[in-house]
Amino acid sequence: MSAKSFAVSPGLNETDDVAPGGRSRRCVLERWACADVPSLALQVLLEAHPDWRHFPVAVVDRDTAQGVILQSNRLAREFQVKPGLRYAAGLSLNRTLRAAVVGEQEVADTCAELVEELRLFSPHVESDTQQPGLFWLRATGLDRLFGGFDTWASRLFEHLRESMGLVVSVTVGWTRFGTFATSRAEPAGWRIFDSLESETRYLGRVPLD
């Protein structure tokens, strides 16, 4: 799996400011990182059934012919087996389709495990409860600890891939939305924005879907 990387920040961006009374102070701009594990339930299913990796695979809401497909892999989507279809309809499009239910608790347990793994790289980790597999990490100062944001992000990416077998996208930037949109638009790999302006320019090219 190849990883992509944008411009690498040389370190924290700091600006001088003047406090009341004429005293000078240093203001450090906050750095954020988004770690997005796309289609987490599907990845959990494939980890449980590694022999399915070369087949069309889907996560369904119940184990019946009328179960609704919630997530599907690339091979399934090539046959138009997409979320919203019934499992029976998916089978009519490709008879080799594999599908199973992934329970909410199983996903929640994986998210909890991910939080613990991410805390090896930042003490401040937030999990999005509405979108399992989406995390924000406060990255301020971690470039100095790891010798650069490129090193930090690449180690995080490799750690999750090797320790948990997960595909993940990591973006280091300046805003929560910017890092989220970039990670969601650029699956698998790591990217670093060297300035708020470069993040904003990139966001102008991200499709809304």
Side-chain angles (χ1 to χ4, degrees):
M1 183 186 305
S2 62
K4 305 175 185 177
S5 177
F6 292 155
V8 177
S9 169
L12 289 175
N13 280 20
E14 298 180 335
T15 58
D16 283 319
D17 198 0
V18 178
R23 296 188 306 275
S24 177
R25 66 171 182 247
R26 301 288 286 177
C27 293
V28 180
L29 301 182
E30 194 77 82
R31 299 301 301 268
W32 288 95
C34 176
D36 183 35
V37 183
S39 302
L40 178 59
L42 180 63
Q43 293 202 53
V44 169
L45 179 59
L46 289 171
E47 279 295 301
H49 298 276
D51 55 315
W52 287 8
R53 291 187 179 277
H54 299 295
F55 291 92
V57 178
V59 176
V60 291
D61 66 346
R62 58 187 185 278
D63 193 15
T64 68
Q66 294 304 306
V68 175
I69 293 173
L70 303 177
Q71 296 178 1
S72 57
N73 69 351
R74 179 183 55 81
L75 288 174
R77 294 193 300 273
E78 288 178 357
F79 290 93
Q80 302 305 308
V81 179
K82 298 180 179 180
L85 284 182
R86 301 287 181 182
Y87 176 46
L91 279 174
S92 71
L93 294 170
N94 190 300
R95 301 302 298 178
T96 67
L97 176 66
R98 270 65 169 164
V101 175
V102 177
E104 291 184 4
Q105 188 58 53
E106 192 172 359
V107 172
D109 289 345
T110 303
C111 284
E113 185 178 354
L114 275 163
V115 168
E116 293 306 310
E117 296 297 327
L118 290 170
R119 282 181 177 152
L120 298 175
F121 294 86
S122 172
H124 183 96
V125 179
E126 297 179 25
S127 177
D128 190 316
T129 58
Q130 301 302 313
Q131 300 186 71
L134 180 61
F135 306 88
W136 279 278
L137 301 82
R138 183 168 288 135
T140 303
L142 295 176
D143 57 330
R144 294 174 176 172
L145 182 62
F146 284 83
F149 280 126
D150 56 335
T151 301
W152 179 78
S154 63
R155 286 184 181 177
L156 192 159
F157 170 82
E158 294 293 346
H159 178 76
L160 292 186
R161 184 173 66 171
E162 293 174 5
S163 67
M164 299 184 68
L166 295 174
V167 174
V168 62
S169 178
V170 180
T171 301
V172 181
W174 304 84
T175 66
R176 286 172 178 254
F177 177 75
T179 55
F180 159 70
T182 302
S183 292
R184 188 57 55 91
E186 298 277 351
W190 68 90
R191 321 154 176 88
I192 299 95
F193 290 112
D194 61 353
S195 68
L196 178 58
E197 290 74 20
S198 64
E199 179 184 296
T200 302
R201 284 195 302 270
Y202 178 79
L203 287 178
R205 303 193 299 271
V206 173
L208 290 178
D209 59 348

